[in-house]
Every structure is written in structure tokens, then in C-alpha cells.
Amino acid sequence: MSRRLIEKAKRILSEEVGTIYKDPGGKIKVALVYPNTYHLGMSNLGFQTVYGLLNSRDDILCERAFLPDDEDREEYLRTGTELFTLESQRRLNGYDIIAFSVSFENDYLNILDILNLSRIPPMRDERKDKYPLLVLGGIATFFNPEPISDFFDLIAIGEAEEMVDDMVDLYKRESGKADRDDLLRDMGSIYGIYLPGLYDVIYGEDGTIKERVAKKGALEKIKRRHIRDINRFDTCSRVLTPNTEFSNMFLIEISRGCGRSCRFCLADFVYRPPRQREVGSILRAIKEGSHITDRIGLIGAAVSDHPAIDSLISSPDIRGLYVSVSSLRADTVTEKLIKRLAESGLKTVSIAPEAGSERLRRVINKGIREEDILRASELIFLNGIANLKLYFMIGLPTETMEDVEAIVDLARKIHEIQLSIARQKDSIGLLTISLNCFVPKPFTPFQWVAMEDIDTLKEKINLLKRAFKGIKNMSFIYDVPKWAHFQAFLSRGDRRVGKALRNIRDRGDWVRAAKEAGIDPEFYISRERSFDEILPWDFIDTGVRKDYLREEYEMVKYGIETPRCIPEECTRCGVC
């Protein structure tokens, strides 16, 4: 093994607080893998939550592994070192279970790199009983795990908090008695578990899915598993380190899901029903975190939407702490909240208008008006938060160049507010315009639409680049359309896409590599689906009715907005 790699691992560990070390004797050994770098993985609250859940059991030893950066990867290859976990520097191939926590489609290729560095065959059918059991979890499994389903023995579809105990208990009971096939069949009896090896997919002459065949008594549909009362579980940081995006910040989930019904938003639909944590539960987590650090991060789809956010932020338990928030919603921002965040030392906040025009915000059901956005911006600047980040998208359904130009108009109005207040205060911060290309996602009302072509997306980006060029105190950052298309290819792909991933990993140019593997990316990216087509992810039952999603899509034609989702009070989508 490489001494340099081991020394680096020990140096990283020495800077952590909360790392869990256990004697491996008599325990089920789990390697929890985030398929990107340590910096990104340890910034992911879901990954940290699963690490804590697994290690809360006395019969589990859970250690972490990550994708090496480019320099470390070269060292692994040069020295022939197998990829190892951080805590004990034990190679991944020596664990009973390797559990991947996957949040983003663009990390799918990294899974192949990690398996290659671990000397584990990537395809399920290539592995024998001597290899660890490969398990896939994370939000990527909620909406469409099919492109990577051939890599994994078992896929957990849903939230981990309740699934972990069921899976570990059954594995502990059966692993010594049964061969792998028998063990997996038994695992398939657990609510939320998908065994991709028990399904065949048959394609028609037009390339669409003709039929999914469930074998050996497997269920036709896999129900996404979710917890109804999130207050039963603490979802907060388990390990603090300076080597993350949040740098020694204790992260606390204050809500899960959203319920605003933005038609582009995957998280809104796959995390339904939206759930809010009780103030007492959040304050307990804050007290726990304040013993370790004076930096607290509140995480939610829109932190200002929490019904008790003003009283929470004013609690004596939070005084003296630096408080950061993941994102604010323009129509629920209050002066009390902004003032308290500024007093804590926060210098930057984010809001997401998504579109520049009122018309397009109605199309996507964003539910905020221009006056909401301008008022929120003014509150932010007036109360001493100097930096504001605005999130927009291009390529949304029905978007015109006039809608793109409306982004410029809105940004300039906000910039004028910023300049006006800065003149009074004699200091100015940075206004950042962050632009993403719209990618149609499964389980949203836009799952059927074609993604906009690369040339048109580039044209819109260039319009905005010209408009914002040279404006002082304004930064413009944007997506690369080619990689947004790659995300769409993976997001809406079927199992054939997975077979092309190995070729893409080896060749680099993903479009050419996919075509050489017999896959036309445009079939998945730029093709509008018919409503009666069997979609690759239709086997997952999220609780949201497909006909409801179609109704939401049809409402786009008329610019009709949908009211906010109120759990247990409405039955529109089917979840409640």
C-alpha cells in the first residue's frame, strides 16, 4: 500500500471531530462510499446521516470511502494500491457490504472508477459470492436507478432511517445460512427494496420499453419508503471537518420536501408529503452542535417556509452562534429572519426566482411575484447581508427569448436596489447570477418533455453573458449545456444506458462513446414522450399518481397555478 496515501488519510482523520472508530471483531463490516471527493461527500448531510445510523448499531462497523482526487488516483494506480476506507485504511474488497450513497447522476461514472480501483467487477453478473454485497441508496434511487441497476445487487428505494434496521437485521439473520441468491430474495421481501436482477426489460422496435417482466415472484411495483414523522430521527452532521464546503459547520435538517409544487422540481415530488421538524427537535440538535462548534447550518428546500422559523431563529439557544441557511423563498422572507441572520455574521444568502418573467414563473408554478423578489432583495441588503445569490434556469418549457431577457431586467432591478442601499452604507457586496440549464426529471410534470438543444441553450447563455458583461459587483456563472445534456441522458435513461457507461468511462467523449456502444443519446434527451409510453422509472411507486402529473403538465398550456400542498388536508396527488 502507498505510504503517502495512508499518511494523507491519517492527516484528514486528525482534523475531524466525531469520527467513529470500532473494533471490527464480530461485526458486519460496511464500507459507506460517496462517489465523489471527500470535500463533496462530507458536505452531504444524507451521507453523514447514514454513517451515523449504521454506526449507532453495536453489530455494525461502518467506515467511509470516497473517490480519490486526480493526484491520489495516479498514486493508487502507480503503486497498485486498492481503494481503502478512511478510518482503518482497510481495502473495500475486504468488507461484507459496500453501500453507495448517490445523489447526482453525473457521479455514475465515478462508481465505475471506484469499483475499478477496488478490483471489483462492475457488472452484477460478473461477481461471485466472494465479493462484497453491493448496495445502492441515496436520492438517485428514488427517481430512476435503472442506468446503474446492473452494477448493484440490491437497491434501497426510499429514506434510509427506517430501512437500515430492517436490512441489517435480515442480513445478520440469513448471511451465514444462505447463498447470495437466497439472501437477496429474502431481502426483496423488505418494503422499499428493489432487486434489479429479478427483472427483464423488453424493448419494442421503436426503442421504447414494451414490457417489464418480474421473475420468481418479484413485485411488479416497488413502493418508495418514507418516514411519516421525521422528528423520530435526528438528521444532522455526525463528523465535522474544515475540509468541506461548509468548514466545521454543524448542519441540521429542519424540513424535508417542499410541497410548493414547482413543476420542474424533482425533490418536491419524490419527498412528498412535505414534513417540518418541530422546533424542540431542532433546538435539541442546535444544543448538541453548539458543544462542538459555533457554526450552525439550517437545511431545507426553503428555510423561510418553516412555519416557526422566526421563533426558532430568535431562541436564546441560538444566540451567539453563526447561522447559515441553505436557501430562502422570496415570498416568505421576513425582516426578523434576515436581521437575525445578519446579526449572527451571515454575509451571503440565496433565493431562486428560477425564471425572469411572471408568465414563465406561472408556467413552472413557482408561485412568487416580482414584487416578492424585489422586496426580499431590499430586506437582505438593508439589514446588512451584502451578498445575494440568485438562481435562474434556461430551457424551461414554453420559454422564449423574451423570457430570457426578463432575467436581465430582473437582475438589473435588484442590482439597482443593491447600489442604492450601498450608497447609504458606503459598502457593497456581490450579486451573483447562477444559471442552470433545465433538465427534465422523472416523477415531475415535465418528465415527458424534450430537453432544449445545445445550440439554443448556448444562444441564451451568450445573450446573458453580453448583458451582464462589465457590470461591477455582479458575477455571472452558468452551466455547460453539453454536461447538462449528459445529466438528462443519465436521468431519463434505461438499462441500455448503463451498458454504455463502461464505454463512456474508457473513451471520455460521452456522445461518441455512447454511439459506439449502440446508444443514441438524443433518444433519451431530445425526444418528447407520449403519455402512454412505459417510462424506465414507472416501476417505482412514489405515491404520486401519474395521471396527476399529466394534469399538472396540461395546466401549463393555460398558465394555471396549483395551490401549495398541505399534508393530510388535500388528496390531489395521491400521497396522502
Side-chain angles (χ1 to χ4, degrees):
M1 293 178 74
S2 165
R3 178 174 293 180
R4 187 180 74 76
L5 291 171
I6 292 173
E7 287 175 352
K8 181 176 180 180
K10 290 180 177 178
R11 185 171 67 252
I12 289 171
L13 289 168
S14 71
E15 296 178 311
E16 290 187 342
V17 176
T19 317
I20 300 169
Y21 299 96
K22 289 184 176 182
D23 185 327
K27 295 179 176 63
I28 300 167
K29 294 186 286 295
V30 179
L32 179 63
V33 181
Y34 191 85
N36 212 306
T37 61
Y38 175 90
H39 179 87
L40 291 174
M42 291 305 294
S43 302
N44 187 283
L45 188 54
F47 178 78
Q48 290 228 22
T49 298
V50 175
Y51 177 72
L53 284 169
L54 287 167
N55 276 314
S56 68
R57 294 184 57 123
D58 293 336
D59 51 2
I60 292 285
L61 164 75
C62 175
E63 299 184 334
R64 296 160 292 154
F66 304 89
L67 179 75
D69 61 27
D70 290 343
E71 183 181 343
D72 287 350
R73 176 188 167 85
E74 288 180 12
E75 178 72 2
Y76 270 105
L77 294 173
R78 185 186 68 79
T79 60
T81 301
E82 287 188 38
L83 189 65
F84 54 74
T85 56
L86 191 60
E87 285 84 350
S88 66
Q89 297 90 57
R90 181 185 293 108
R91 63 192 184 94
L92 263 63
N93 220 338
Y95 285 77
D96 301 308
I97 298 170
I98 302 176
F100 281 78
S101 178
V102 184
S103 301
F104 304 105
E105 302 96 324
N106 286 9
D107 286 340
Y108 290 175
L109 289 176
N110 297 337
I111 295 171
L112 293 173
D113 281 337
I114 287 167
L115 293 177
N116 181 54
L117 289 171
S118 305
R119 298 181 191 164
I120 296 173
M123 305 302 283
R124 179 178 57 253
D125 294 341
E126 297 173 346
R127 296 192 297 268
K128 306 297 181 185
D129 286 353
K130 66 175 183 176
Y131 290 102
L133 190 73
L134 260 62
V135 176
L136 174 64
I139 191 174
T141 70
F142 291 24
F143 62 91
N144 183 21
E146 285 298 88
I148 48 176
S149 62
D150 284 337
F151 305 159
F152 290 92
D153 300 302
L154 178 155
I155 298 175
I157 295 179
E159 296 168 355
E161 284 90 343
E162 288 183 336
M163 300 181 78
V164 162
D165 282 342
D166 288 349
M167 293 168 64
V168 172
D169 288 345
L170 192 147
Y171 181 89
K172 186 177 179 181
R173 219 169 37 241
E174 309 251 342
S175 61
K177 314 180 214 174
D179 66 21
R180 176 162 296 189
D181 288 341
D182 290 339
L183 172 65
L184 287 171
R185 272 194 295 273
D186 289 343
M187 284 278 198
S189 66
I190 297 172
Y191 171 28
I193 295 300
Y194 170 47
L195 304 177
L198 294 185
Y199 298 83
D200 289 328
V201 182
I202 301 168
Y203 302 94
E205 292 182 4
D206 62 355
T208 63
I209 295 174
K210 183 178 179 181
E211 187 181 6
R212 274 180 61 91
V213 179
K215 301 182 289 187
K216 301 178 182 177
L219 297 171
E220 296 290 336
K221 288 257 189 181
I222 305 297
K223 288 189 176 182
R224 172 206 56 139
R225 190 162 178 179
H226 69 281
I227 54 173
R228 294 198 174 274
D229 181 10
I230 60 172
N231 294 290
R232 290 172 49 211
F233 303 93
D234 292 328
T235 303
C236 50
S237 297
R238 297 299 168 192
V239 178
L240 295 191
T241 170
N243 302 307
T244 70
E245 183 180 345
F246 304 107
S247 187
N248 284 328
M249 182 177 290
F250 191 83
L251 304 179
I252 302 166
E253 179 191 59
I254 70 167
S255 62
R256 189 172 298 183
C258 176
R260 290 287 189 162
S261 300
C262 295
R263 293 177 178 130
F264 62 86
C265 183
L266 171 70
D268 185 297
F269 292 94
V270 299
Y271 277 119
R272 289 194 176 196
R275 289 146 288 169
Q276 309 282 358
R277 287 192 186 275
E278 295 171 356
V279 171
S281 171
I282 300 168
L283 289 176
R284 282 195 300 274
I286 289 172
K287 285 180 183 177
E288 178 188 342
S290 66
H291 293 310
I292 310 166
T293 179
D294 61 356
R295 295 167 54 82
I296 300 293
L298 304 180
I299 305 296
V303 169
S304 54
D305 265 1
H306 194 289
I309 188 63
D310 279 352
S311 61
L312 172 65
I313 206 79
S314 303
S315 168
D317 294 307
I318 212 167
R319 281 184 198 147
L321 301 175
Y322 173 90
V323 182
S324 177
V325 293
S326 54
S327 182
L328 300 175
R329 193 176 155 90
D331 58 344
T332 52
V333 167
T334 65
E335 184 168 14
K336 188 175 186 179
L337 171 61
I338 295 299
K339 188 172 289 187
R340 179 63 190 88
L341 291 173
E343 288 170 355
S344 83
L346 188 65
K347 300 298 183 186
T348 305
V349 296
S350 303
I351 58 176
E354 311 294 4
S357 69
E358 296 281 1
R359 184 199 72 80
L360 195 52
R361 284 195 293 274
R362 285 196 299 273
V363 164
I364 63 176
N365 204 51
K366 183 64 183 179
I368 57 175
R369 307 291 176 253
E370 183 170 297
E371 54 263 34
D372 297 324
I373 300 165
L374 298 178
R375 172 189 156 276
S377 301
E378 185 175 27
L379 273 177
I380 289 163
F381 296 132
L382 274 174
N383 285 281
I385 295 179
N387 306 305
L388 175 60
K389 193 170 188 178
L390 301 171
Y391 288 98
F392 291 97
M393 285 190 288
I394 53 168
L396 287 160
T398 80
E399 183 181 70
T400 65
M401 292 307 280
E402 286 75 20
D403 294 311
V404 180
E405 289 165 355
I407 295 175
V408 178
D409 293 339
L410 180 57
R412 284 177 173 164
K413 288 175 183 177
I414 294 169
H415 192 238
E416 280 301 316
I417 293 171
Q418 183 186 33
L419 289 174
S420 174
I421 293 170
R423 291 187 194 105
Q424 301 168 31
K425 294 180 174 289
D426 199 27
S427 68
I428 189 168
L430 184 67
L431 180 65
T432 301
I433 311 299
S434 178
L435 188 74
N436 290 299
C437 301
F438 163 70
V439 175
K441 295 285 183 161
F443 293 111
T444 69
F446 291 150
Q447 66 180 351
W448 292 280
V449 307
M451 186 173 176
E452 195 158 70
D453 65 89
I454 287 176
D455 287 342
T456 305
L457 291 169
K458 284 181 176 178
E459 183 184 355
K460 292 175 177 178
I461 290 170
N462 287 333
L463 183 156
L464 294 169
K465 282 170 70 176
R466 289 192 298 270
F468 294 133
K469 185 178 181 181
I471 299 178
K472 291 182 178 180
N473 306 107
M474 183 185 286
S475 169
F476 177 53
I477 55 178
Y478 52 90
D479 239 354
V480 177
K482 181 178 180 179
W483 291 109
H485 267 230
F486 184 55
Q487 185 186 143
F489 177 57
L490 300 176
S491 177
R492 304 206 288 179
D494 51 37
R495 292 190 178 188
R496 293 171 295 190
V497 168
K499 289 179 171 57
L501 281 176
R502 294 176 76 176
N503 199 43
I504 291 170
R505 172 184 164 271
D506 294 337
R507 291 298 304 272
D509 182 336
W510 71 267
V511 175
R512 180 182 296 178
K515 289 180 178 178
E516 288 176 355
I519 302 293
D520 179 11
E522 296 306 312
F523 179 81
Y524 301 96
I525 299 167
S526 305
R527 180 177 63 88
E528 183 134 358
R529 276 79 167 150
S530 66
F531 289 123
D532 59 356
E533 180 176 330
I534 297 174
L535 302 172
W537 50 89
D538 276 347
F539 71 94
I540 299 174
D541 179 5
T542 66
V544 178
R545 300 192 324 272
K546 195 174 182 181
D547 62 327
Y548 167 78
L549 296 176
R550 178 175 177 174
E551 289 166 9
E552 280 290 307
Y553 181 44
E554 297 283 2
M555 290 164 84
V556 166
K557 299 174 186 175
Y558 310 103
I560 299 173
E561 294 178 293
T562 301
R564 183 177 183 173
C565 166
I566 304 175
E568 311 301 340
E569 291 188 20
C570 76
T571 55
R572 292 193 308 267
C573 74
V575 167
C576 293

